[in-house]
Amino acid sequence: MGRRCWRRRVLAAACLGAALLLLCAAPRCLRPAFGNRALGSSWLRGERRSPLQKLYDLDQDPRSTLAKVHRQRRDLLSSACSRHTRRQRLLQPEDLRHVLVDDAHGLLYCYVPKVACTNWKRVLLALSGQARGDPRAIPAQEAHAPGRLPSLADFSPAEINRRLRAYLAFLFVREPFERLASAYRNKLARPYSAAFQRRFGARIVQRLRPRALPDARARGHDVRFAEFLAYLLDPRTRREEPFNEHWERAHALCHPCRLRYDVVGKFETLAEDAAFVLELAGAPGLSFPGPPRPRGAAASRDLAARLFQDISPFYQRRLFDLYKMDFLLFNYSAPSYLRLH
């Protein structure tokens, strides 16, 4: 992270600031919801080094293998953004809704559903002192409860930009089709997701299954994977409303070509990357909830391969094009089980 990167970070914050300041004239005003709590942080008073400063120090140390890995990921992301993005719209405050803030430790975390985000929210609650003991003991519904963790969208433009300049920003990503398969299984194919099935599954069945039984039309409990993919590819879906966050593309949730991320963690190396972030945050004693089960990565690949085996090459190509930016930006290859040619 040399001087050029630091200058780029400040410039990005300044550009975002200009965009956000234009929004202040709009009827909807930004509420400075969490005030100036960051002003009380010891690292802002110079009593200890911030996570961003620690990362800068590690970047100067050629012996730090993990710092080198994350520097390479940042460079690959920056290069991919330069090659594959054109003119982009200005970010609005609501675009920052997925970026969570930990003022006490100087962290910005953009959460991507189906990429260990429940456990990261548990860890942030523990870091902020809102929960005691083992983060794994925090119920999932409590971790996801609205308002428990401040979002960057809750602050004024000046406060947003101050945090963008001074805080360590990180996100975690996952192979796009494995994430998509996980979202389908957990939200549409499991019996404990009845509310989600009524909201989305019923809509999918009503639109795409002409002779569906009344029970399926009402409950949406038996959506087939092919129907789910057809729903994603149907132009009406995004015309009616944005994709649900569980299958929205990671780049559309976190805007990595507009916001600079200092650490790009991956689900495939979750344990190592999480420990690296917690070390930078000054909380090495806090244990990140366990990594995926043994064979977890292989099981994730197997599930995706099994679900996609009955999807025609035509629809595989269309879906790959839909999620292509996530593959390109985060350096994932097209899965070997796809028939794209």
Side-chain angles (χ1 to χ4, degrees):
M1 275 174 57
R3 292 181 180 175
R4 183 172 57 185
C5 293
W6 283 91
R7 285 199 299 270
R8 201 162 63 211
R9 184 189 191 93
V10 172
L11 178 60
C15 292
L16 180 65
L20 290 171
L21 286 171
L22 290 174
L23 293 166
C24 288
R28 178 188 176 278
C29 62
L30 291 170
R31 57 187 179 91
F34 295 88
N36 290 320
R37 282 195 319 209
L39 295 176
S41 298
S42 60
W43 59 266
L44 276 176
R45 297 195 300 268
E47 297 170 12
R48 61 184 174 91
R49 297 186 69 70
S50 74
L52 195 58
Q53 290 167 329
K54 290 179 183 177
L55 181 61
Y56 179 81
D57 291 343
L58 286 174
D59 273 348
Q60 314 311 307
D61 183 355
R63 298 168 299 177
S64 178
T65 305
L66 267 178
K68 180 180 179 181
V69 167
H70 288 286
R71 183 166 63 249
Q72 290 171 341
R73 288 180 186 174
R74 286 196 304 272
D75 291 345
L76 283 169
L77 175 57
S78 176
S79 176
C81 286
S82 298
R83 289 197 309 271
H84 300 295
T85 58
R86 301 288 184 266
R87 285 183 61 186
Q88 301 180 72
R89 65 178 179 81
L90 294 175
L91 289 181
Q92 301 181 34
E94 202 56 34
D95 293 320
L96 307 175
R97 181 59 57 191
H98 272 245
V99 182
L100 304 179
V101 179
D102 178 354
D103 278 330
H105 296 84
L107 299 174
L108 298 175
Y109 163 57
C110 184
Y111 71 92
V112 178
K114 308 312 302 173
V115 194
C117 77
T118 302
N119 283 337
W120 268 115
K121 289 179 179 181
R122 287 170 167 143
V123 166
L124 290 178
L125 286 172
L127 281 173
S128 67
Q130 296 188 55
R132 304 291 180 188
D134 189 341
R136 286 171 291 194
I138 301 172
Q141 62 269 26
E142 184 177 334
H144 291 296
R148 290 301 305 272
L149 292 164
S151 163
L152 197 57
D154 293 319
F155 294 90
S156 70
E159 289 295 300
I160 289 172
N161 284 305
R162 186 168 65 82
R163 287 164 173 81
L164 287 174
R165 286 191 296 268
Y167 287 17
L168 180 95
F170 70 99
L171 80 164
F172 274 70
V173 295
R174 183 178 185 178
E175 198 279 341
F177 283 178
E178 291 177 22
R179 176 175 169 248
L180 192 64
S182 177
Y184 166 76
R185 180 189 60 188
N186 284 16
K187 295 300 179 182
L188 293 172
R190 291 277 177 87
Y192 56 70
S193 299
F196 211 91
Q197 291 165 355
R198 283 193 298 271
R199 180 180 175 191
F200 292 100
R203 185 183 307 169
I204 293 170
V205 170
Q206 291 164 17
R207 182 188 296 179
L208 297 168
R209 200 183 302 171
R211 290 179 292 278
L213 296 174
D215 188 47
R217 291 176 62 85
R219 294 171 56 200
H221 62 294
D222 61 350
V223 172
R224 301 158 192 149
F225 188 61
E227 292 172 331
F228 172 55
L229 300 189
Y231 169 76
L232 297 179
L233 293 169
D234 187 337
R236 291 173 292 179
T237 300
R238 280 189 289 168
R239 279 204 302 265
E240 291 172 358
E241 62 179 353
F243 272 169
N244 179 265
E245 62 179 11
H246 291 86
W247 45 79
E248 179 61 280
R249 287 75 49 88
H251 77 271
L253 295 174
C254 295
H255 312 286
C257 294
R258 304 301 305 275
L259 304 177
R260 178 172 176 81
Y261 288 94
D262 307 293
V263 174
V264 179
K266 294 202 169 187
F267 188 77
E268 297 78 10
T269 51
L270 177 60
E272 302 93 321
D273 294 343
F276 183 67
V277 171
L278 292 175
E279 182 77 34
L280 293 172
L286 183 61
S287 177
F288 189 84
R293 301 178 303 278
R295 278 205 82 252
S300 183
R301 283 192 300 272
D302 291 348
L303 172 66
R306 189 167 65 253
L307 289 172
F308 273 95
Q309 69 181 357
D310 295 326
I311 305 302
S312 72
F314 174 74
Y315 281 103
Q316 288 183 6
R317 164 55 69 181
R318 287 188 62 197
L319 199 75
F320 182 79
D321 289 342
L322 181 62
Y323 286 85
K324 188 174 183 178
M325 282 300 291
D326 276 2
F327 281 98
L328 293 172
L329 294 179
F330 303 117
N331 198 33
Y332 286 107
S333 301
S336 60
Y337 54 76
L338 293 185
R339 306 183 302 280
L340 298 179
H341 302 294

